[in-house]
Amino acid sequence: MKKTLPALVTAGVVATLLAGCTAGGDRSSSASPTATPSASAAAAAPAANTCTDGVLTVTDAKKAAKALAEGCKSVFLLLSNTQVTVGDAEKLGIEGSGVTVKGGHFDTLSVLGSGNTITYRGEAPDTTNVADGNEVTAAR
């Protein structure tokens, strides 16, 4: 009986350890983990349609009209088929199609999509990141 007790204890410990390794379920399934945003991550994102910390992200031109007119350091238009007036900005980015921008001075333009028309004042902006099918002209 002396030799049987240590063997039973060892077998019990090994069984417990092995059970812990397999408690995660079927590892061969194709389901992948998904991240859920934390409250702090959501709070850190700048509000759309207002200039916050030098960044204006526009998803609704009517709600952003005042901020657009005042300008912001960086303005990103996530719109399509609309006309907006933008004040001075170091950077203007457009992700959409059919957007007409009457603007102030811009240092750089980044334009995705096509059929966008941008009119600027002052010196010509850097248009290196303007996709084909978009028009950039100086105001007259």
Side-chain angles (χ1 to χ4, degrees):
M1 177 101 176
K2 290 182 182 179
K3 291 184 181 181
T4 318
L5 185 60
L8 286 174
V9 171
T10 302
V13 170
V14 169
T16 302
L17 290 174
L18 290 176
C21 290
T22 61
D26 183 12
R27 301 276 184 206
S28 64
S29 70
S30 62
S32 51
T34 57
T36 54
S38 66
S40 61
N49 306 312
T50 60
C51 183
T52 305
D53 296 328
V55 178
L56 172 60
T57 301
V58 180
T59 57
D60 184 324
K62 289 181 182 179
K63 289 182 181 178
K66 182 178 178 186
L68 282 166
E70 292 173 354
C72 197
K73 185 175 180 178
S74 296
V75 177
F76 300 100
L77 305 175
L78 308 179
L79 305 166
S80 288
N81 304 315
T82 192
Q83 182 173 337
V84 296
T85 300
V86 180
D88 293 343
E90 289 179 19
K91 179 174 184 153
L92 174 65
I94 300 173
E95 187 173 323
S97 297
V99 178
T100 300
V101 176
K102 292 182 180 178
H105 171 73
F106 309 117
D107 291 335
T108 61
L109 296 176
S110 295
V111 183
L112 300 175
S114 62
N116 298 299
T117 303
I118 301 96
T119 304
Y120 63 89
R121 297 191 186 281
E123 292 184 38
D126 176 358
T127 58
T128 306
N129 293 315
V130 175
D132 291 338
N134 296 291
E135 183 180 332
V136 179
T137 59
R140 296 175 192 217

